[in-house]
Amino acid sequence: MNIIADWPWLLPAIACGISLVFLMIRFPKVWLGLFLAALPYFLTDTGKGLSATEVVAGGLFTSTILMWMFWRIVVDPRPLVKGWTDFLLLFFIVAAFANIIIAKVNNVGLMGWAVDWSYLLLMLYYFPFREEFGQNKRTFNQFLVLSGISSTLMALYSTYNFKQRMAENMVYAYQIMSSRSAVLGPIFLLSICITVVVILFATRNSTRLIAIGVTLVNLVALGLTFTRTLWVMVFFCIFLAMVFMRYRQNMRLLIGSTAILSVLFLSLYIVYPKITVITAKYIQVRFASSTQITGGDLSFETRILEANNAWRKVKESPLGGNGLRARFVTWAPIEQWHNSTAFVHIGYVGIIHKLGFPTAIIIFAVLIGFALRALRNAWDARTSTALPLIRALAIGTFAFIPAVFVNIFMAGIFDQRYGNVMFAFVFASVAIAEDLLRRARTEPSLQHVQ
C-alpha cells in the first residue's frame, strides 16, 4: 500500500502542522493571524460533506489550540482562568467530551461525534485571542486590523460564491433564493455592529474610511443571505448601540447611514438593475411570508416540527442527552418527506437533545456571564477615558449580544464551525475590552487625550 499515492495531501498536511506548531510556540500572533485568514474557506459549508482540505484544516486548527492550552497551562506560570466564566467554559468542554459514553450507548458513529465535539474546541480560541491581543494598545490595534481583514475576506468570498451560483443555476427570478448562503450571516452582523461604532468613535479619517469600507462590504454580504432575522437584527443592534453613544454621534449615524445606504442601493441598481429590482421585490415577499405562521412560512414550520421531535428525545434522556450527532426523525414541510437528521435549528433544544440539561446549562451560564460582562463594558465605555477604539469595541460587542441569543434560536450554531468561532471572538472582545477599560484608569498609554 502506497500511503502517499492514496493520500497525496498527507505530506503537505504534516508540513503545515509542524509549521503551525512552531508558530504557535514562537510567534503566536502569526498563528492566530493565519487562523483568521483561513476562516473564509474553513467556515464556509461546501454542502458536499467534509472534503480532505476541510478535514486537514479542522484537524490542524483543533489540535493546535489543544496544544496551546496544554503549553499555556503547563509551561506558563500565569493563571489562565480569570473568572467563573472561564472556568465554566473549560468545564463545558470536558463535560461535552464525557458525552462520548452516551453517544456510544446510543450507537452514534464515533467519527461523527468527534467532528461535532471538535467544533466545540474552536471556542477555546478565546483564550489565545485574549492573551495575545489584550496586552497593550499595539496588540489591541492588531486584533482590530486582523479581525477586519478576516471579516472582509469572508464577506467578499460569500459574495463571490453568490455571484457564481447565480451564473450557474439561475434561470428564473424565483431561483434567486437557491443562490444564497446564510452560513456566515451572523459574523457579517457582528462585523457591522463593531465597525459602525468604530466609524463614530474613530479620531482619524483613515480609520473611519476603512471602517466604512468594511461595513459596506459586510452589509452587501448580509443582504445576500436573504435572512429576515439578521436584517431585522441590524436595526435592533444599531439602536442598542445608540443608547450608549452621545447625541451628536447618533445624529451623524442617522444622517450618514441614510446617505450611504442610498448611494449603495443606487450603485447596485446602476451595475445590476434587473437583479436589484428582483431582489427588492423578493425582500418584500420574504417579510410578508413572516406573517403567515401556518401554510406560509415553511421555514418556521420546519423549526417547530424539528424542535417538537427533538424534545421527545430529550424527555427520554434529559440528563445525559442522546449524544453529539444523535439523529431523530422529523417531517420536512418544504421537501414533503420524513427526514432523519441530527440538526435542530432551535439551538437551545438541539444542545439539550445532544448533551442533556446539566451540560447545556453550563454553556448557557457561560453565555449569560459574558453577556453581563459586555453590558458592564458598554456602560463603563459611556464615561471612560479609554482610547476611542477600545470604547467602540466594548459598545459594538454588547450591541451584538442580543443577536447571539436570537441566532441560537434560529440557526442552532453550537454544532456549526462559524458559530463556535463567533463565540470565541465575542468572548475575547468582551474580555479584552473589559481589561483595557479597567487599565485605562491608571495607564496613560490607554487613555484618550482630548
Side-chain angles (χ1 to χ4, degrees):
M1 178 179 179
N2 191 335
I3 296 179
I4 302 301
D6 292 335
W7 295 307
W9 47 265
L10 186 59
L11 286 180
I14 293 174
C16 289
I18 295 173
S19 300
L20 279 179
V21 171
F22 171 76
L23 292 174
M24 178 200 71
I25 297 173
R26 187 68 182 85
F27 304 103
K29 292 187 185 67
V30 177
W31 162 59
L32 294 173
L34 290 174
F35 172 69
L36 289 171
L39 289 180
Y41 176 77
F42 177 62
L43 298 184
T44 303
D45 186 0
T46 62
K48 301 176 182 178
L50 289 174
S51 65
T53 51
E54 288 176 304
V55 171
V56 171
L60 292 176
F61 289 145
T62 53
S63 61
T64 50
I65 186 58
L66 285 175
M67 291 179 189
W68 186 91
M69 294 292 294
F70 178 80
W71 178 272
R72 179 65 176 75
I73 293 172
V74 174
V75 177
D76 198 321
R78 295 174 301 168
L80 183 65
V81 176
K82 298 183 179 180
W84 64 269
T85 47
D86 291 0
F87 171 77
L88 288 180
L89 178 57
L90 294 176
F91 187 35
F92 168 73
I93 299 298
V94 174
F97 180 78
N99 179 258
I100 191 173
I101 300 173
I102 303 296
K104 184 65 177 177
V105 170
N106 289 325
N107 298 315
V108 176
L110 293 186
M111 181 58 71
W113 178 93
V115 170
D116 277 15
W117 183 73
S118 70
Y119 291 164
L120 300 178
L121 295 179
L122 295 172
M123 281 191 279
L124 296 179
Y125 273 92
Y126 148 65
F127 290 101
F129 280 147
R130 182 196 69 188
E131 295 291 296
E132 297 299 328
F133 293 115
Q135 298 173 4
N136 48 49
K137 174 185 174 181
R138 180 177 60 85
T139 59
F140 170 75
N141 289 335
Q142 291 172 348
F143 180 63
L144 290 184
V145 170
L146 290 173
S147 301
I149 292 174
S150 181
S151 71
T152 301
L153 290 175
M154 282 187 268
L156 291 174
Y157 186 70
S158 181
T159 303
Y160 170 78
N161 283 341
F162 176 83
K163 184 179 179 181
Q164 291 298 107
R165 288 190 292 268
M166 285 275 288
E168 295 171 1
N169 303 325
M170 187 170 171
V171 177
Y172 303 103
Y174 68 84
Q175 290 178 306
I176 190 173
M177 184 69 172
S178 64
S179 300
R180 72 161 186 155
S181 175
V183 173
L184 301 180
I187 294 182
F188 301 148
L189 176 59
L190 170 60
S191 181
I192 292 168
C193 289
I194 294 176
T195 53
V196 164
V197 184
V198 167
I199 293 170
L200 299 170
F201 274 86
T203 55
R204 294 182 179 180
N205 288 332
S206 58
T207 302
R208 192 174 293 114
L209 288 174
I210 293 172
I212 289 174
V214 175
T215 302
L216 291 178
V217 171
N218 280 274
L219 272 173
V220 172
L222 183 65
L224 295 179
T225 64
F226 292 96
T227 305
R228 294 156 296 184
T229 304
L230 295 178
W231 291 342
V232 173
M233 290 306 298
V234 170
F235 297 100
F236 179 82
C237 292
I238 297 303
F239 173 78
L240 188 60
M242 292 173 67
V243 174
F244 296 91
M245 294 190 293
R246 296 186 175 91
Y247 174 78
R248 183 174 298 178
Q249 290 174 318
N250 289 332
M251 292 305 299
R252 285 168 52 197
L253 173 61
L254 293 174
I255 296 172
S257 59
T258 301
I260 290 174
L261 290 175
S262 299
V263 171
L264 181 62
F265 179 81
L266 289 174
S267 300
L268 290 174
Y269 181 78
I270 292 172
V271 179
Y272 302 109
K274 292 183 179 179
I275 293 178
T276 303
V277 172
I278 292 172
T279 301
K281 291 182 178 179
Y282 187 77
I283 289 172
Q284 295 177 359
V285 173
R286 289 284 287 166
F287 276 117
S289 68
S290 299
T291 63
Q292 303 175 27
I293 301 301
T294 302
D297 193 341
L298 297 180
S299 296
F300 186 79
E301 288 187 42
T302 299
R303 285 163 168 77
I304 297 300
L305 289 171
E306 278 179 355
N308 288 336
N309 286 293
W311 194 253
R312 292 191 183 96
K313 302 293 289 185
V314 170
K315 292 179 179 178
E316 296 174 5
S317 305
L319 298 180
N322 296 276
L324 292 171
R325 196 61 74 94
R327 307 183 73 86
F328 61 94
V329 177
T330 185
W331 174 252
I334 297 176
E335 294 84 1
Q336 290 292 299
W337 63 39
H338 281 92
N339 183 31
S340 176
T341 181
F343 180 72
V344 184
H345 282 83
I346 300 179
Y348 299 104
V349 175
I351 197 71
I352 295 172
H353 162 248
K354 294 168 184 174
L355 298 178
F357 272 104
T359 305
I361 288 173
I362 296 173
I363 192 60
F364 296 159
V366 172
L367 293 173
I368 293 171
F370 276 103
L372 293 175
R373 292 169 64 180
L375 172 60
R376 185 175 58 191
N377 287 348
W379 184 263
D380 291 344
R382 295 170 67 251
T383 57
S384 174
T385 57
L387 294 169
L389 294 185
I390 297 175
R391 297 163 60 197
L393 180 66
I395 294 174
T397 303
F398 172 69
F400 178 71
I401 291 296
V404 172
F405 292 97
V406 171
N407 273 285
I408 294 173
F409 184 83
M410 298 302 296
I413 58 181
F414 289 110
D415 52 1
Q416 303 289 313
R417 281 170 280 182
Y418 79 87
N420 291 291
V421 170
M422 185 183 72
F423 286 143
F425 183 86
V426 170
F427 296 164
S429 297
V430 171
I432 290 172
E434 180 182 59
D435 185 54
L436 295 182
L437 285 170
R438 176 184 56 79
R439 288 163 52 189
R441 299 170 189 151
T442 57
E443 295 183 26
S445 62
L446 296 174
Q447 295 175 357
H448 177 55
V449 179
Q450 299 289 343

